[in-house]
Amino acid sequence: MDDSGAARPLRVAVVGAGPAGIYTADHLTSGRVVPEGTSPGGVSVDLIERLPVPFGLLRYGVAPDHVSIKSTGRALGEVLARPGVRLFGNVELGGAVTEAELRERYDVVVYALGATEDRHLNIPGEQLPGSISATSFVSWYNGHPDSDVPDLDGVTAVAVVGVGNVAVDVARILLRNPAELEPTDMPTDVIEALARSEVTDVHLLGRRGAVHAKWTTKELRELGDLDGVAVLVDDGQLPDEAPEGAGRETRRNLDVLRGWAARPPAVASRRLHLHFSARPDGILGTDHVEGLLLERTTEDGRGTGESWTLPVQAVLRSVGYRATVPDGVPFDDERHVIPTDAHRVVRDGVASTGEYAVGWIKRGPTGVIGTNRSDAKETVLALAGDVPGILAAHPGDPGGIDDLVADRDIRYVDVDGWRAVVAAESRRGEPHGRGTVKISDWETLLAAANVAPAGA
Ligand code: NAP
């Protein structure tokens, strides 16, 4: 009840319209979880998103040739269209609005900020031209409006540091026949750049033994099926047997690697080399990357003192994502997450009811898109249990950000604007004989969403 005695909605701001944020909105508005003190349909969710378009890492992280995962976007889109859910795209927390303003205007704030920065290797030469973070490379091939174009001119050999699924994605995109990317939504200029690339050799480098690789078997196996690509792995680098206690995924990964090692040598125009127990110690070069200095390590990653240089012209650092937060949001500088206790944000040592975190900003950058669905459910269950206390403490409707949007003339992308972007992107491929092709710059995205730039 508000001050006049009328029922009012529970007002929730979810910051970040990636999978974790949208799954949170889904669980809050599906009617499956009805917080005590509200009725089905009595929860209003505003998704506040920095970018002009939703879907976060589904749109800008998942590789374009992983079409079935990308199709998760259809289900997420249905949540955006649901009554009670509003999209505020092109609205940055810490820019257009502050966290204090959100906390005043909502009963509940859920941070679903993800992790968008790259982790560093902290070795000499990391800043040389030609040393590129996988985060930035992935953003580029996915048409992120903030991404830089990587300079692949004259690059024939690339080292990819790290043996997780992002490293697999990056290696696959570099080596895949570009014609196979035409049916995806990859921007046309990216496909053209990949077609011009002279890369013939990609080296994937694990700093520990093969049993410690983080990739999943399904993703690893795809590398062996790339048209015109030979996968080279030295049998001597692989253990004869999986160590005791190794999980099913590790055993299957080793089976895949052993299968490749046993293949007769193939002649191919492009090659993927797998190296384990190889720790990067420095990126070499004067004006540009010329090589990667490596130290041989033991199975568990201890240095042996034996070193060698891999002649490469580019190093892609694929060693994990790192989160950051806007001013005012609590942050654990060591774990790079928002500190939480049972999903509740910990401020000044106290777990607060009314503030929650979900997805990578809470768990760290692990798990697949679907992991966020169960994570969001657990978060919403914790939140739902707190609602009676939250409503009792604040009986009046806090109103949402409508007043700020009006006063500050915030030009945001709502669900209709987003649908207009989808329609514009579905028409873009026609001149090239392609289907949907992503728009990859801010101006065109905002124009497609019928949002005039601020001040216009
Ligand atoms: P990740 O799985 O954590 O892998 C990071 C890799 O970097 C590990 O091999 C790690 O080795 C290595 N590394 C870290 N610091 C290093 C250093 N200083 N020097 C050398 N190597 C270093 O991270 P990710 O590949 O970025 O993936 C993030 C998450 O997204 C994962 O959960 C992944 O499964 C998921 N993802 C899924 C898909 C898919 O399902 N298709 C696609 C992409 C991403 P150590 O183990 O030795 O630390």
Side-chain angles (χ1 to χ4, degrees):
M1 300 278 169
D2 68 10
D3 294 341
S4 64
R8 72 165 181 91
L10 178 79
R11 290 213 182 264
V12 182
V14 175
V15 190
I22 299 181
Y23 282 133
T24 300
D26 179 21
H27 289 300
L28 281 165
T29 57
S30 66
R32 291 187 297 268
V33 180
V34 181
E36 206 182 313
T38 70
S39 52
V43 181
S44 114
V45 180
D46 289 349
L47 281 154
I48 294 164
E49 167 61 51
R50 182 183 83 83
L51 291 169
V53 280
F55 298 171
L57 222 52
L58 181 64
R59 181 176 166 105
Y60 291 123
V62 171
D65 58 342
H66 277 172
V67 177
S68 70
I69 309 178
K70 287 276 192 199
S71 67
T72 316
R74 272 199 290 277
L76 298 185
E78 284 169 17
V79 177
L80 295 182
R82 199 176 279 166
V85 177
R86 299 192 297 177
L87 176 66
F88 288 88
N90 192 37
V91 177
E92 183 171 13
L93 177 65
V97 295
T98 67
E99 56 83 35
E101 288 165 343
L102 289 190
R103 289 202 286 146
E104 273 168 26
R105 286 167 176 78
Y106 291 90
D107 299 302
V108 170
V109 178
V110 183
Y111 299 103
L113 301 167
T116 54
E117 305 292 313
D118 59 301
R119 284 177 55 201
H120 296 161
L121 285 171
N122 297 318
I123 57 172
E126 194 165 8
Q127 306 308 325
L128 271 175
S131 162
I132 303 162
S133 78
T135 322
S136 138
F137 191 74
V138 168
S139 292
W140 167 68
Y141 68 57
N142 264 315
H144 193 297
D146 292 338
S147 64
D148 296 323
V149 180
D151 182 5
L152 295 175
D153 272 3
V155 174
T156 57
V158 179
V160 179
V161 177
V163 283
N165 278 333
V166 170
V168 170
D169 281 348
V170 161
R172 192 181 66 253
I173 294 292
L174 278 169
L175 290 168
R176 198 187 261 299
N177 177 352
E180 293 175 0
L181 298 168
E182 298 275 340
T184 73
D185 63 4
M186 193 181 254
T188 302
D189 60 332
V190 175
I191 299 183
E192 287 169 355
L194 289 168
R196 279 195 308 275
S197 127
E198 298 162 57
V199 172
T200 54
D201 291 84
V202 174
H203 299 263
L204 272 178
L205 296 150
R207 64 175 169 177
R208 299 188 282 161
V211 295
H212 300 289
K214 295 254 177 76
W215 47 43
T216 42
T217 313
K218 183 166 167 280
E219 280 62 33
L220 178 65
R221 214 173 256 144
E222 268 184 275
L223 293 174
D225 298 331
L226 292 175
D227 179 32
V229 178
V231 182
L232 304 169
V233 52
D234 178 0
D235 199 16
Q237 292 190 69
L238 306 175
D240 293 334
E241 284 185 16
E244 211 174 308
R248 195 158 154 252
E249 190 86 9
T250 304
R251 286 174 191 278
R252 293 196 312 182
N253 287 344
L254 289 175
D255 287 345
V256 172
L257 295 171
R258 277 202 215 92
W260 289 340
R263 278 184 189 173
V267 179
S269 54
R270 280 162 295 140
R271 290 160 292 274
L272 174 67
H273 311 256
L274 300 181
H275 308 260
F276 300 101
S277 294
R279 185 176 66 206
D281 266 357
I283 300 177
L284 309 175
T286 40
D287 303 325
H288 196 277
V289 171
E290 291 169 20
L292 179 63
L293 180 63
L294 293 158
E295 180 177 5
R296 173 82 51 223
T297 60
T298 59
E299 172 66 29
D300 58 357
R302 280 169 293 128
T304 63
E306 181 197 338
S307 60
W308 80 103
T309 299
L310 197 61
V312 291
Q313 303 81 42
V315 174
L316 273 158
R317 310 179 314 262
S318 182
V319 295
Y321 286 81
R322 186 171 56 88
T324 56
V325 293
D327 281 350
V329 180
F331 195 57
D332 179 332
D333 288 318
E334 277 175 22
R335 293 181 53 233
H336 295 120
V337 293
I338 293 179
T340 52
D341 180 0
H343 315 285
R344 298 169 185 89
V345 173
V346 174
R347 267 185 193 272
D348 304 322
V350 180
S352 55
T353 54
E355 265 190 304
Y356 306 83
V358 67
W360 279 10
I361 194 65
K362 175 183 70 181
R363 306 193 308 271
T366 59
V368 294
I369 297 291
T371 314
N372 294 299
R373 193 175 159 78
S374 43
D375 184 354
K377 185 172 183 187
E378 287 168 22
T379 309
V380 167
L381 287 173
L383 182 168
D386 294 341
V387 166
I390 293 169
L391 288 176
H394 303 283
D397 185 342
I401 55 168
D402 300 59
D403 64 325
L404 294 182
V405 167
D407 293 351
R408 294 178 185 168
D409 190 21
I410 296 173
R411 313 286 173 98
Y412 68 94
V413 179
D414 62 9
V415 71
D416 289 335
W418 166 67
R419 284 198 186 112
V421 173
V422 173
E425 291 186 331
S426 72
R427 292 190 298 268
R428 286 184 103 219
E430 283 167 21
H432 309 278
R434 302 181 57 205
T436 292
V437 172
K438 269 188 197 156
I439 299 170
S440 53
D441 69 277
W442 277 89
E443 210 180 314
T444 316
L445 280 168
L446 290 173
N450 301 311
V451 171

